[in-house]
Amino acid sequence: MVEEQKFATTLVIGIHREELAFGKQVVALLAGSGIQVVQIDNGLNHERSSYRSGFYHSTAHREMYLQLHQQLAGKKINLLIDLHTGINETGRCADILSADTDLLGKMEGLLKGVEERLYEIIPHDEKSKNKKFSFSVCHTIIPQKVWNSQEYIYAGLEIYLREAGQGFLLDWEYAAGLIHLLNGSFKN
């Protein structure tokens, strides 16, 4: 009899089309890790356009995440890692964003803090309440139902590359290493 897994981490790749190739390379390095993958083949277009900056982009972005949330509903997912890429010409680094300060605290203890920044996601109106936060704070257009889900912990992982594209082996290894740390820190 197969024992049911009590913990499941799911990695989402391809929310933005331009990030899918990078995500596939990272997933190849995660083979055998037990991390589930949701691959979005027809994600949002991340290119600069009037569509990207306005109402339609925000609506499409929100709908993409709400569909993902609905797809994951009822599955045994405890941690959702949302993989993205950005550009930092000075070198590889990462942002980890989550509303779960316990997860961020564990990651802070594991990371050297030189190349990685940790951000607590808060509601848009929260900063005005003069509350003290344990981490730098940020807002997101991702629906609160996703980043502050009652069903799983959300962790956004933004890997910054020197240039646009799928990155290189060291970039993929860096991302896979952070995903393993996120997965392991949640379990402990």
Side-chain angles (χ1 to χ4, degrees), residues 96-101 103-104 119-121 138 147 153-156:
I96 300 171
L97 308 90
S98 182
D100 189 282
T101 55
L103 179 67
L104 292 173
Y119 291 95
E120 180 180 349
I121 303 173
C138 68
W147 63 259
I153 291 177
Y154 172 89

Side-chain angles (χ1 to χ4, degrees), residues 93-94 96 104-118 135 174 177-178 181:
C93 60
I96 300 171
L104 292 173
K106 289 176 183 174
M107 289 300 291
E108 183 177 46
L110 294 170
L111 299 170
K112 295 177 180 77
V114 176
E115 297 176 336
E116 299 84 20
R117 295 171 297 204
L118 303 169
F135 300 92
Y174 177 66
L178 288 174
L181 282 178

Side-chain angles (χ1 to χ4, degrees), residues 19-61:
E19 300 167 346
L20 183 58
F22 176 83
K24 286 179 177 181
Q25 295 295 334
V26 173
V27 166
L29 295 175
L30 296 171
S33 68
I35 295 174
Q36 302 172 49
V37 176
V38 173
Q39 178 176 311
I40 300 172
D41 292 318
N42 296 306
L44 300 169
N45 190 343
H46 202 44
E47 292 179 7
R48 295 186 183 272
S49 68
S50 58
Y51 171 81
R52 176 176 159 72
S53 62
F55 170 78
Y56 295 110
H57 174 74
S58 295
T59 300
H61 200 267

Side-chain angles (χ1 to χ4, degrees), residues 8-10 36 72-80 151-153:
T9 295
T10 296
Q36 302 172 49
L72 299 176
K75 298 194 176 176
K76 295 187 181 308
I77 295 171
N78 295 41
L79 177 62
L80 176 64
E151 298 175 37
Y152 49 80
I153 291 177

Side-chain angles (χ1 to χ4, degrees), residues 109-181:
L110 294 170
L111 299 170
K112 295 177 180 77
V114 176
E115 297 176 336
E116 299 84 20
R117 295 171 297 204
L118 303 169
Y119 291 95
E120 180 180 349
I121 303 173
I122 61 170
H124 287 280
D125 61 349
E126 182 115 9
K127 196 166 188 163
S128 64
K129 296 179 182 175
N130 295 322
K131 178 182 170 189
K132 286 203 167 209
F133 295 96
S134 302
F135 300 92
S136 296
V137 297
C138 68
H139 303 290
T140 180
I141 63 171
I142 297 170
Q144 187 167 349
K145 175 185 267 192
V146 175
W147 63 259
N148 197 23
S149 175
Q150 301 300 309
E151 298 175 37
Y152 49 80
I153 291 177
Y154 172 89
L157 178 57
E158 182 92 16
I159 304 295
Y160 292 94
L161 309 172
R162 285 187 182 266
E163 58 189 44
Q166 73 175 14
F168 301 97
L169 180 59
L170 289 176
D171 301 319
W172 310 327
E173 289 174 340
Y174 177 66
L178 288 174
I179 291 166
H180 282 300
L181 282 178

Side-chain angles (χ1 to χ4, degrees), residues 80-95:
L80 176 64
I81 302 172
D82 184 16
L83 182 62
H84 294 276
T85 60
I87 305 297
N88 180 15
E89 294 173 354
T90 61
R92 184 183 318 106
C93 60
D95 289 341

